Amino acid sequence: MIFRAVVCLWLSLLALSSVLIAPASLAAPQDATSEERPQLQVIIEGLEDQLLTNAKAHLAIYALHQQTVPSVFRVRYLMRQGEQELKTALMPYGYYQTQVSYELLQEDQQWTVRYQVNAGPISTYQTVTVTLLGEADQDTAFTRLIDDLAPTIGDPVIHRDYEAFKSRLRNLAAERGYYDAFFSRSEVAIDSANFGADLTIEFNAGPRYLFGDTLFCCATIGAELLDRFVQYQQGSGFNTRDLLDLQVGLAASDYFNTVEISPLWSEASDKQVPIEVTLTPNKRDRYQIGPGYGTDTGARLTLGFDRRWLNDRGHKLSSVVRLSEVQNTGYISYIIPGRNPARDSYSFNAEVSDRSFEQQRSTLTKASVRDIRHYDRWHRTYELSYQREDFAFGDEPRQRSNFFIPSIEWSLIESTTLEGSRNIIDDGYRISVLLRGAHESLVADTNVISLKVSGKWVHRLNDKWRILARAEVGALEADNFDLLPPTLRFFSGGDHSVRGYGFQQLGPLNEEGVVVGGRFMTANSLELDYAFQPNWRVAIFTDLGNSMRDWQESLKQTVGIGVRWVSPIGPVRLDIANAIDEPDTPWRIHFTLGPDL
């Protein structure tokens, strides 16, 4: 009986509640369809930019903006809740005294919730206390970070900057081996009355861990060479940048297919962390074959063979044969890793080339030894070479030259790539200097000294436009210029020189009208390109240059247009150019593939 009475009471209450909770005054008309219901508009006044964006993200009722009104009850509830949501949204930007008023305007076709926000004065730091505990208080990297990034008195209380500073402290600790670091205190105390805040950070970095043994696994080259890749010392302070340098150096050596480096924190002893390096060997031999075409060379074919290591000391062999309509070349190089194998190398090289072009004929045999060193951005090459060259211009008798030539070359490259594409330069420059010479007392047909300086600059003007500038200048002094072979003279013209002219077409002429090269040269270019589609650009340019017997001779100028495709292997350029100084000459097509710098 009691159970039956309880059930009857529960059913009666349920029926009554269904009548009470949805009266006509609290809901849209029951007979109205969704199309007839009014739409809701939410307006926030008094805020702009990032404050307005964050306010919309925090405001729950904004999800109903320009949607059909669900019910008065729901709208009024969310509208009242929005007052605190807007105040909360502005706190991360230092606004703790925000005032919010709101109203609901009801019309037949549209209901409007309007918020009027007065953010009030922004709070600033009254005091800032950052304390380093542990060994970090003696680490200048932390003091520099605090000087550069820590909030200072008078700065606005912006939570994003505060959290970013804390994140940088944690990252620096991880990078420099403070494995046990933690924040013993981190707080911002808001003083609402004075619109200020007190910042207190205590960062306990603990002890700094040190590098332990570096353990290599699964390498095909000797331990002595592997150890030379390691540029840190056992017992020195741990630094992930040293490990990154080690990984990059091993990967770039071409000995290995994969390189994995892991600090073994769980095996640390006396604060020394063992470093495990797991290597997967590359294929020992590499073969290359590549057909191609360039307007300087015509059709060409490249055949290559490399032996990535010859012995456990990491010596290498590299060879290539290039065949083209202009020149055939065979090249072989024996490479020995230097003291720092990631940056230094020595090589013994041999080259044979035969060129026949525009009545210029040359057969070159060359042997050289090189010392190459890479710095952070600079590259330096010392070379000692002996070359023997048989050559002739037109119907002149064939000559034979012998030169022993010391040379030194410096180059500097600095660049950033365009976001979303690693094959096109956003901003950057390249500078190269080549100095070489020979003396009769050291196997040379005549005394000669030569200097060549070149540079290129790329700069992004905006999201679509870039400007590219190139300059190259060379000069030589020889006791008897006529004894110099073509490889020691200066020529201009071609895809990478003065477009609008053929390859090495510019220069002094002999009595037969054959270009014989000059003592001086210059090749300059100014180009403007525009991105009209992703990975596609158009360009206009002008080139100016010549090779000359003396500086008083006139320069040749050309103008042209081109199109660029940013392919997966680098920019492909198709240009058409014409010589201003020789209007009767036809437009010339130039096709090239290669990096901007």
Side-chain angles (χ1 to χ4, degrees), residues 220-222 225 255 284 309-316 334:
T220 55
I221 58 176
L225 176 58
Y255 299 129
R284 189 171 189 180
W309 68 92
L310 293 167
N311 49 43
D312 63 358
R313 292 169 292 172
H315 294 191
K316 303 178 181 183
Y334 187 97

PDB file of all heavy atoms in Angstrom, residues 220-222 225 255 284 309-316 334:
ATOM      1  N   THR A 220      80.582   1.694 -38.352  1.00  0.00           N
ATOM      2  CA  THR A 220      81.498   0.954 -39.224  1.00  0.00           C
ATOM      3  C   THR A 220      82.855   1.644 -39.330  1.00  0.00           C
ATOM      4  O   THR A 220      83.742   1.141 -39.996  1.00  0.00           O
ATOM      5  CB  THR A 220      80.890   0.812 -40.627  1.00  0.00           C
ATOM      6  OG1 THR A 220      80.551   2.114 -41.106  1.00  0.00           O
ATOM      7  CG2 THR A 220      79.645  -0.054 -40.587  1.00  0.00           C
ATOM      8  N   ILE A 221      82.996   2.815 -38.732  1.00  0.00           N
ATOM      9  CA  ILE A 221      84.285   3.504 -38.725  1.00  0.00           C
ATOM     10  C   ILE A 221      84.870   3.438 -37.331  1.00  0.00           C
ATOM     11  O   ILE A 221      84.189   3.111 -36.353  1.00  0.00           O
ATOM     12  CB  ILE A 221      84.131   4.973 -39.184  1.00  0.00           C
ATOM     13  CG1 ILE A 221      83.146   5.723 -38.293  1.00  0.00           C
ATOM     14  CG2 ILE A 221      83.665   5.035 -40.621  1.00  0.00           C
ATOM     15  CD1 ILE A 221      83.022   7.188 -38.634  1.00  0.00           C
ATOM     16  N   GLY A 222      86.150   3.749 -37.209  1.00  0.00           N
ATOM     17  CA  GLY A 222      86.875   3.531 -35.984  1.00  0.00           C
ATOM     18  C   GLY A 222      86.504   4.479 -34.849  1.00  0.00           C
ATOM     19  O   GLY A 222      86.014   5.585 -35.069  1.00  0.00           O
ATOM     20  N   LEU A 225      88.096   8.105 -34.862  1.00  0.00           N
ATOM     21  CA  LEU A 225      87.419   9.109 -35.672  1.00  0.00           C
ATOM     22  C   LEU A 225      86.118   9.552 -35.013  1.00  0.00           C
ATOM     23  O   LEU A 225      85.802  10.748 -34.980  1.00  0.00           O
ATOM     24  CB  LEU A 225      87.142   8.564 -37.071  1.00  0.00           C
ATOM     25  CG  LEU A 225      86.345   9.478 -38.008  1.00  0.00           C
ATOM     26  CD1 LEU A 225      87.059  10.818 -38.197  1.00  0.00           C
ATOM     27  CD2 LEU A 225      86.087   8.810 -39.348  1.00  0.00           C
ATOM     28  N   TYR A 255      78.389   9.167 -43.372  1.00  0.00           N
ATOM     29  CA  TYR A 255      78.709   7.791 -42.991  1.00  0.00           C
ATOM     30  C   TYR A 255      77.468   7.029 -42.542  1.00  0.00           C
ATOM     31  O   TYR A 255      77.434   5.804 -42.637  1.00  0.00           O
ATOM     32  CB  TYR A 255      79.720   7.767 -41.838  1.00  0.00           C
ATOM     33  CG  TYR A 255      81.064   8.399 -42.129  1.00  0.00           C
ATOM     34  CD1 TYR A 255      81.605   9.351 -41.269  1.00  0.00           C
ATOM     35  CD2 TYR A 255      81.806   8.028 -43.243  1.00  0.00           C
ATOM     36  CE1 TYR A 255      82.838   9.927 -41.512  1.00  0.00           C
ATOM     37  CE2 TYR A 255      83.037   8.599 -43.509  1.00  0.00           C
ATOM     38  CZ  TYR A 255      83.550   9.550 -42.625  1.00  0.00           C
ATOM     39  OH  TYR A 255      84.770  10.122 -42.883  1.00  0.00           O
ATOM     40  N   ARG A 284      77.523   1.800 -48.322  1.00  0.00           N
ATOM     41  CA  ARG A 284      78.916   2.203 -48.508  1.00  0.00           C
ATOM     42  C   ARG A 284      79.138   2.889 -49.845  1.00  0.00           C
ATOM     43  O   ARG A 284      79.889   3.861 -49.933  1.00  0.00           O
ATOM     44  CB  ARG A 284      79.825   0.977 -48.393  1.00  0.00           C
ATOM     45  CG  ARG A 284      81.304   1.339 -48.346  1.00  0.00           C
ATOM     46  CD  ARG A 284      82.159   0.140 -48.023  1.00  0.00           C
ATOM     47  NE  ARG A 284      83.536   0.531 -47.775  1.00  0.00           N
ATOM     48  CZ  ARG A 284      84.503  -0.326 -47.464  1.00  0.00           C
ATOM     49  NH1 ARG A 284      84.234  -1.618 -47.371  1.00  0.00           N
ATOM     50  NH2 ARG A 284      85.730   0.116 -47.262  1.00  0.00           N
ATOM     51  N   TRP A 309      83.091   5.501 -47.258  1.00  0.00           N
ATOM     52  CA  TRP A 309      84.269   5.291 -46.430  1.00  0.00           C
ATOM     53  C   TRP A 309      85.123   4.191 -47.058  1.00  0.00           C
ATOM     54  O   TRP A 309      84.621   3.197 -47.557  1.00  0.00           O
ATOM     55  CB  TRP A 309      83.908   4.957 -44.982  1.00  0.00           C
ATOM     56  CG  TRP A 309      83.238   3.633 -44.771  1.00  0.00           C
ATOM     57  CD1 TRP A 309      83.827   2.449 -44.487  1.00  0.00           C
ATOM     58  CD2 TRP A 309      81.821   3.370 -44.829  1.00  0.00           C
ATOM     59  NE1 TRP A 309      82.894   1.449 -44.365  1.00  0.00           N
ATOM     60  CE2 TRP A 309      81.659   1.994 -44.549  1.00  0.00           C
ATOM     61  CE3 TRP A 309      80.705   4.148 -45.072  1.00  0.00           C
ATOM     62  CZ2 TRP A 309      80.401   1.393 -44.540  1.00  0.00           C
ATOM     63  CZ3 TRP A 309      79.447   3.549 -45.047  1.00  0.00           C
ATOM     64  CH2 TRP A 309      79.307   2.194 -44.789  1.00  0.00           C
ATOM     65  N   LEU A 310      86.432   4.439 -47.044  1.00  0.00           N
ATOM     66  CA  LEU A 310      87.379   3.484 -47.607  1.00  0.00           C
ATOM     67  C   LEU A 310      88.010   2.611 -46.534  1.00  0.00           C
ATOM     68  O   LEU A 310      88.450   1.488 -46.815  1.00  0.00           O
ATOM     69  CB  LEU A 310      88.489   4.222 -48.364  1.00  0.00           C
ATOM     70  CG  LEU A 310      88.055   4.952 -49.646  1.00  0.00           C
ATOM     71  CD1 LEU A 310      89.156   5.894 -50.105  1.00  0.00           C
ATOM     72  CD2 LEU A 310      87.720   3.958 -50.737  1.00  0.00           C
ATOM     73  N   ASN A 311      88.073   3.153 -45.301  1.00  0.00           N
ATOM     74  CA  ASN A 311      88.703   2.440 -44.199  1.00  0.00           C
ATOM     75  C   ASN A 311      88.090   2.923 -42.895  1.00  0.00           C
ATOM     76  O   ASN A 311      87.199   3.789 -42.890  1.00  0.00           O
ATOM     77  CB  ASN A 311      90.232   2.652 -44.219  1.00  0.00           C
ATOM     78  CG  ASN A 311      90.586   4.133 -44.352  1.00  0.00           C
ATOM     79  OD1 ASN A 311      89.980   4.995 -43.708  1.00  0.00           O
ATOM     80  ND2 ASN A 311      91.576   4.438 -45.189  1.00  0.00           N
ATOM     81  N   ASP A 312      88.552   2.364 -41.764  1.00  0.00           N
ATOM     82  CA  ASP A 312      87.965   2.743 -40.471  1.00  0.00           C
ATOM     83  C   ASP A 312      88.389   4.136 -40.029  1.00  0.00           C
ATOM     84  O   ASP A 312      87.878   4.654 -39.030  1.00  0.00           O
ATOM     85  CB  ASP A 312      88.306   1.703 -39.392  1.00  0.00           C
ATOM     86  CG  ASP A 312      89.798   1.604 -39.121  1.00  0.00           C
ATOM     87  OD1 ASP A 312      90.588   2.305 -39.796  1.00  0.00           O
ATOM     88  OD2 ASP A 312      90.182   0.835 -38.236  1.00  0.00           O
ATOM     89  N   ARG A 313      89.300   4.778 -40.757  1.00  0.00           N
ATOM     90  CA  ARG A 313      89.664   6.168 -40.467  1.00  0.00           C
ATOM     91  C   ARG A 313      88.753   7.158 -41.183  1.00  0.00           C
ATOM     92  O   ARG A 313      88.936   8.368 -41.071  1.00  0.00           O
ATOM     93  CB  ARG A 313      91.124   6.414 -40.865  1.00  0.00           C
ATOM     94  CG  ARG A 313      92.133   5.676 -39.988  1.00  0.00           C
ATOM     95  CD  ARG A 313      93.520   5.746 -40.579  1.00  0.00           C
ATOM     96  NE  ARG A 313      93.590   4.970 -41.834  1.00  0.00           N
ATOM     97  CZ  ARG A 313      94.630   4.973 -42.656  1.00  0.00           C
ATOM     98  NH1 ARG A 313      95.679   5.726 -42.384  1.00  0.00           N
ATOM     99  NH2 ARG A 313      94.608   4.266 -43.759  1.00  0.00           N
ATOM    100  N   GLY A 314      87.784   6.669 -41.941  1.00  0.00           N
ATOM    101  CA  GLY A 314      86.778   7.520 -42.551  1.00  0.00           C
ATOM    102  C   GLY A 314      87.206   8.198 -43.832  1.00  0.00           C
ATOM    103  O   GLY A 314      86.547   9.155 -44.271  1.00  0.00           O
ATOM    104  N   HIS A 315      88.294   7.743 -44.455  1.00  0.00           N
ATOM    105  CA  HIS A 315      88.691   8.332 -45.727  1.00  0.00           C
ATOM    106  C   HIS A 315      87.618   8.031 -46.782  1.00  0.00           C
ATOM    107  O   HIS A 315      86.979   6.980 -46.752  1.00  0.00           O
ATOM    108  CB  HIS A 315      90.030   7.761 -46.183  1.00  0.00           C
ATOM    109  CG  HIS A 315      91.160   8.157 -45.276  1.00  0.00           C
ATOM    110  ND1 HIS A 315      92.484   7.941 -45.610  1.00  0.00           N
ATOM    111  CD2 HIS A 315      91.175   8.752 -44.062  1.00  0.00           C
ATOM    112  CE1 HIS A 315      93.258   8.388 -44.637  1.00  0.00           C
ATOM    113  NE2 HIS A 315      92.479   8.871 -43.678  1.00  0.00           N
ATOM    114  N   LYS A 316      87.422   8.960 -47.723  1.00  0.00           N
ATOM    115  CA  LYS A 316      86.364   8.846 -48.721  1.00  0.00           C
ATOM    116  C   LYS A 316      86.930   8.975 -50.119  1.00  0.00           C
ATOM    117  O   LYS A 316      88.000   9.555 -50.327  1.00  0.00           O
ATOM    118  CB  LYS A 316      85.306   9.952 -48.525  1.00  0.00           C
ATOM    119  CG  LYS A 316      84.659   9.999 -47.165  1.00  0.00           C
ATOM    120  CD  LYS A 316      83.672  11.162 -47.109  1.00  0.00           C
ATOM    121  CE  LYS A 316      83.011  11.272 -45.762  1.00  0.00           C
ATOM    122  NZ  LYS A 316      81.999  12.366 -45.720  1.00  0.00           N
ATOM    123  N   TYR A 334      90.086  12.354 -53.247  1.00  0.00           N
ATOM    124  CA  TYR A 334      90.343  11.509 -52.085  1.00  0.00           C
ATOM    125  C   TYR A 334      90.296  12.423 -50.868  1.00  0.00           C
ATOM    126  O   TYR A 334      91.085  13.361 -50.753  1.00  0.00           O
ATOM    127  CB  TYR A 334      91.710  10.830 -52.203  1.00  0.00           C
ATOM    128  CG  TYR A 334      91.993   9.813 -51.135  1.00  0.00           C
ATOM    129  CD1 TYR A 334      91.770   8.454 -51.362  1.00  0.00           C
ATOM    130  CD2 TYR A 334      92.495  10.190 -49.894  1.00  0.00           C
ATOM    131  CE1 TYR A 334      92.046   7.512 -50.389  1.00  0.00           C
ATOM    132  CE2 TYR A 334      92.776   9.256 -48.908  1.00  0.00           C
ATOM    133  CZ  TYR A 334      92.536   7.913 -49.155  1.00  0.00           C
ATOM    134  OH  TYR A 334      92.809   6.982 -48.187  1.00  0.00           O
TER     135      TYR A 334
END
